[in-house]
Structures are given as C-alpha cells and as structure tokens.
Amino acid sequence: MLEVRGLRAGYGEVEILHGMDIDVAEGEVVAVLGSNGVGKSTLNNNLSGIYAPFGGSIRFCGEGIAGANPARIVDLGLIQVPEGRRVFPNLSVRENLELGSYRRGRAARARNLERVTRIFPRLKERYGQMAATLSGGEQQMLAIGRGLMSEPRLLILDEPSLGLSPILVDEMFALIGELNGEGLSILLIEQNAVQSLEAADRAYIIEHGVVAMSGPAAELARSPDLRARYLGL
Amino acid sequence: MDATILGAAVINGLLLGGSYALVAVGLTLIYGVLHIINFAHGSLLMLAMYGAYYLLVKAHIDPYAAIPLMVVAMFAAGYVLYRGLIGRFSHGKDENILLITLGLSIVLENVALFFFKGDSQTITVSYSDRMVALGPALVPLPKLVSFAASLVLCAALAWFIARTETGRAIRAVAKERQGARLVGIDVEKIFAVSYGIGIACLGAAACLLIPSFYVSPSVGNLFVIVAFTIVVLGGMGSFAGALVGALIIGLTESLSGLFLGEALGQIGISLIFILILLFRPTGIFNK
C-alpha cells in the first residue's frame, strides 16, 4: 500500500536520504531501523508531507503523495505518531483524542473514543486532565490514541519506545502486535532493533541515507553482520 | 476624599477597562497563536473606527447596528491580510511577521492621513449624551453599552475557543504546530483565521467606541499601548488575563486621573507596566 521509490530528501541544501526504496503491504508490520541521524525522521516527515522530497516518488494506496500537503495525506489514512509525541499540552486528554479525528474519522468519533479508551483505560482516567500533566508513557499512549482516532490505514510509529521504561516498552510492542492483529498496517521506525525485529514482518536497515539491508525480519535477526553491528551480539 | 467621587471613579474605570477589553483580547489571541505582537492592531482599529464613522455618516447605519457588519468585514480584512501579505512574506519567520505588521501600521496610518486628513472626527447619535445613574456615578449610556457588549463578546469568543472544533484547532496550533499538521489541521489557515478573529474584535470595538470617542488617523496608538500593557499584565496569550488586565488598567487610569489630575491618568498605566516587568514578567495568569 506504501511504495517509496528513489526517495531523495533533506533540509535546505543538505540531502540526507540519497535514493531510498521502501514498501509496506496491506496488513504488514515493517520496521525501519537505524541509529540516530541516519535519516529516519527525514523519511517520516516526507511521508507525512511536512517536507517535500527533492526527488523520487511516494505512492500510498495508488496515489502519488510526494510533496502533497499533510492534510491530504491524513485524508488518505496515512497517519504518523511522531517522535516526541507532539500531543497538545494545553488541551485535555479528551480534546487531544477528538482532534485526532479533525479530518478523518469524524463521523465515528464517539465510537472511536470508546475504542481508544478501551485500549488505554489510563487515558479514560485522565480524560479531563491537560496533556502536559501526563507522564511520558501516558503521553505516548495519548499520541497513539490520537493517531487511532483518525482510523489509519497505515500507522507510522516513530520511535514509540523512546524514553519509556522497559515494562512500558514491552507493553508498547505487545500493543503493536494487537493492532496489527486487528488488520492495521504499521510502519515502525525504531532504534530498538531487537524488539522491533521480533515484532516486524520485514525490516529495512538504514545507514547514511540509504537502505543498507532489507528482508524478512526473522532472517535479518539471524544475520551475523547485523547482529554484530546493531544487536551487540 | 469623598466616597462618592471615589466610587464614581471606580465605576468609570471599570467601564473604561471594558472598552479596552475587546482590543486587548484580539491582541492576545493573535499573540497566543502566532507568537507575535500585532503592530498593526492600532491602525486596524483606526480603520474600523473610520468604517463605523462613515457607515453612520454616509449610510445612516447606527454604530450598534453596524457591529455584525463590521465584525464580518474586519474578519475578512484580517484573513485576507494574513493570507495575502503577512503569511506569504513572512516565510515562517516570526521576526518577519513583526516587521510586516509594523510596516503595515505605518502605511495604513499615512494612507488614512491622506484620505481622512489629520482632524479628529466625532459623531452624534440620539443617545450620545444620555446619562445613566449607576450607584454614585452618572455615566454616559454609550460607555455602559460598550462595557456590557464588550464583556458579552469576550465571553462569546471564549466559548468559541473553548468549545468548537475550530477553537480546539486554534489552541492546538498555538502550542504544537507539528502535532497539528499531523492530525491534518491546515496550520496556515488556522493562522489566518486567528488573525481574522483578532481583527474582528477590533470591528466590534470600533462600533462600541465611536459613539463616545473621536476618530483620527493616529487614534489607534492610544489604544495599542494600553492594550499591550493589558496583555503583558494578564499574561501573553491568556484570555481571562486580557479581560481582568483590561479592568485593572481601566481602574488604574481612572484612579490615577483622580489623584494626579486628568492629564496624568496614563502615568499609572506606565507605572503598572514597569512593576509587572520587574516582579511578574509572565503576567498574572501565566504560570
């Protein structure tokens, strides 16, 4: 459903991604792995239309979205849960969730609120509280909940485990499995290679703005080269 | 000091504050969302006051009846200004917005000087001189109407921001632009709408002021310095702060006028401004 071909992108004059090919098929969990500064966020920001790519193409469900505005991309159901959560600190938990369906999924807002608060009962307890007062883990739940409110067809999770305690990280990966079990396609952008490879069907390893390795996650997890470099084994 | 005189000064101060409130609320809304001081605020208020003036003089539309018209017209003016000028030439840089609004105010003021000349104009309506007894004070009816209508409009705006989908989007954009883009909010449009609403407040304020005030090309400067003080006092971007700040500043002006003499009324405002900057630079309502 997502086809990225020869994507070149960056900021200003600086090119960070030098021709990248990435695919996500319906129902898949695909992991994009790489250490800090290899271009994972650049990839995301181009997929979501925050920046326009220098070249190459991005197709989502058959439609070219390279350089489209973010609202259009949300309309199509490509939803990003950004790194650092980016929840609205001055809005209540409920309002944050409601704004998740600002453009997409508004008709089913009440039903989706119910669903999201069933997945994250903690958010229900914090319903009227300002998002700024939530803990990091709760904010991550809120960011994912807000993403789910817009009925994504493909959900991009950008470093969802960053800054979470080990127990919450486990819960996060369990949640990814559950959401995927319900049929949601997920593009997982992570530094945490061990757990991401367990959760994903396929994976791409990015280095210096190009795909260095790709393939079925289980196979990559066994690759001696990758184990040495990313898993410290 | 006679309690009656003091009471009258307090009431007059509050009424004065009410008429500042709308101007300040518009300024604080624009600041809260765009994070810039709208230097064109005063000159746009001046334009709106000329609008209300000519609607009465040429079209015989009473200023109060002209409120909906002026609100819509000023909203449109603000929206178009943002879309066509401020947003387009700022290239996303706050300091550019600042300069553009400053330049805009200079242009507007001088264009007004060219077309309307430098003289002050006043209008006379049937209720201009009617006085109403309010406790110890005898206050002009237009000031009372202005006060009440100001509060009602501020409350309506606060409701809009707190309860509607667009209001939620405005608050979201104010604090988290990237997050807003990712849920599909058109951030540039929200900027333009917010600027439009801030300017629409001036449309209403102009209609409420004109029956009891004069208009001249430089009239906006009087209000913009006061409104700026109010916004800083209440806390930049805070609605409740702007309202309470307006009442405090109105009271200050009236009371310092009483104690120091009419001409020195504004000294109190400057004093308050210095004190806020010294002791609570974030304002009353900001943490």
Side-chain angles (χ1 to χ4, degrees), chain B residues 86-148:
Chain B
I86 301 169
R88 174 167 304 174
F89 295 110
S90 67
H91 304 292
K93 290 208 175 75
D94 290 352
E95 60 270 29
N96 289 354
I97 305 185
L98 205 78
L99 287 175
I100 292 169
T101 59
L102 184 62
L104 187 64
S105 75
I106 296 170
V107 170
L108 287 178
E109 211 171 290
N110 284 286
V111 167
L113 208 52
F114 180 78
F115 282 108
F116 307 135
K117 308 300 177 226
D119 311 331
S120 306
Q121 311 280 350
T122 53
I123 60 159
T124 319
V125 276
S126 57
Y127 47 82
S128 282
D129 299 321
R130 196 171 304 166
M131 303 297 271
V132 183
L134 202 67
L138 208 56
V139 297
L141 181 65
K143 291 206 165 156
L144 192 59
V145 170
S146 165
F147 177 79

Side-chain angles (χ1 to χ4, degrees), chain A residues 86 90 95 98 103 109, chain B residues 165 168 171 175-176 184:
Chain A
R86 301 281 182 180
N90 54 332
E95 287 176 319
E98 285 173 341
R103 279 192 80 90
R109 181 176 275 180
Chain B
E165 189 79 0
R168 266 193 288 271
R171 281 181 290 140
K175 292 284 184 199
E176 182 47 70

Side-chain angles (χ1 to χ4, degrees), chain B residues 246-263:
Chain B
L247 296 178
I248 294 177
I249 290 295
L251 268 179
T252 307
E253 187 173 341
S254 168
L255 290 178
S256 46
L258 177 68
F259 291 113
L260 305 173
E262 197 72 40

